[in-house]
Amino acid sequence: MNADAELKDWNFQVLMLVQSMLGAITPNFRMVVLSRDSEVWVIKFYLQHDVEEDVEEVNDIICQYSAYQDSSLKCKWEILFGDGELPVNSEADRVVYRRKEIFD
């Protein structure tokens, strides 16, 4: 895949994920990261607490995200809970959402 097509693909996936998250993000969401592992798009949701309603929101986000795609989309996601330091992402990853956090 050439660089222009790759960038276009990334931009489309970021846009579709952002559209899918509209109205779904609560203060419990700390960060959402989109990455790619070969041909599989990987979405990581970092939540502060394990709240059932927010887990349901993640499922709704993934459902909406999948609806924006064609049938060849390969996607997996995971939810990570905790209030520790957020990871530093590789340059290949896209942070799609990150809340402001202030630590003393």
Side-chain angles (χ1 to χ4, degrees):
M1 184 179 290
N2 68 36
D4 286 341
E6 179 80 13
L7 180 59
K8 190 174 181 178
D9 203 21
W10 267 100
N11 288 341
F12 178 79
Q13 294 305 325
V14 169
L15 177 61
M16 292 305 99
L17 183 54
V18 168
Q19 288 297 116
S20 301
M21 293 187 317
L22 290 175
I25 299 297
T26 69
N28 190 37
F29 281 72
R30 298 181 68 205
M31 185 166 68
V32 179
V33 177
L34 178 66
S35 60
R36 194 170 195 176
D37 182 11
S38 189
E39 294 299 315
V40 178
W41 292 99
V42 180
I43 306 170
K44 292 183 181 178
F45 296 89
Y46 294 84
L47 303 180
Q48 187 164 3
H49 304 287
D50 186 355
V51 176
E52 183 179 345
E53 291 82 12
D54 288 335
V55 172
E56 289 174 12
E57 287 291 355
V58 168
N59 289 326
D60 290 346
I61 290 168
I62 294 300
C63 182
Q64 186 65 46
Y65 175 74
S66 298
Y68 288 135
Q69 311 291 329
D70 62 25
S71 61
S72 65
L73 176 76
K74 295 178 183 163
C75 173
K76 65 181 181 178
W77 70 94
E78 59 183 301
I79 304 172
L80 302 139
F81 300 102
D83 57 4
E85 192 171 330
L86 290 169
V88 175
N89 297 296
S90 77
E91 290 182 21
D93 297 344
R94 303 277 176 97
V95 176
V96 179
Y97 169 82
R98 184 169 179 165
R99 75 178 187 191
K100 182 176 183 176
E101 295 186 352
I102 300 172
F103 297 101
D104 294 331

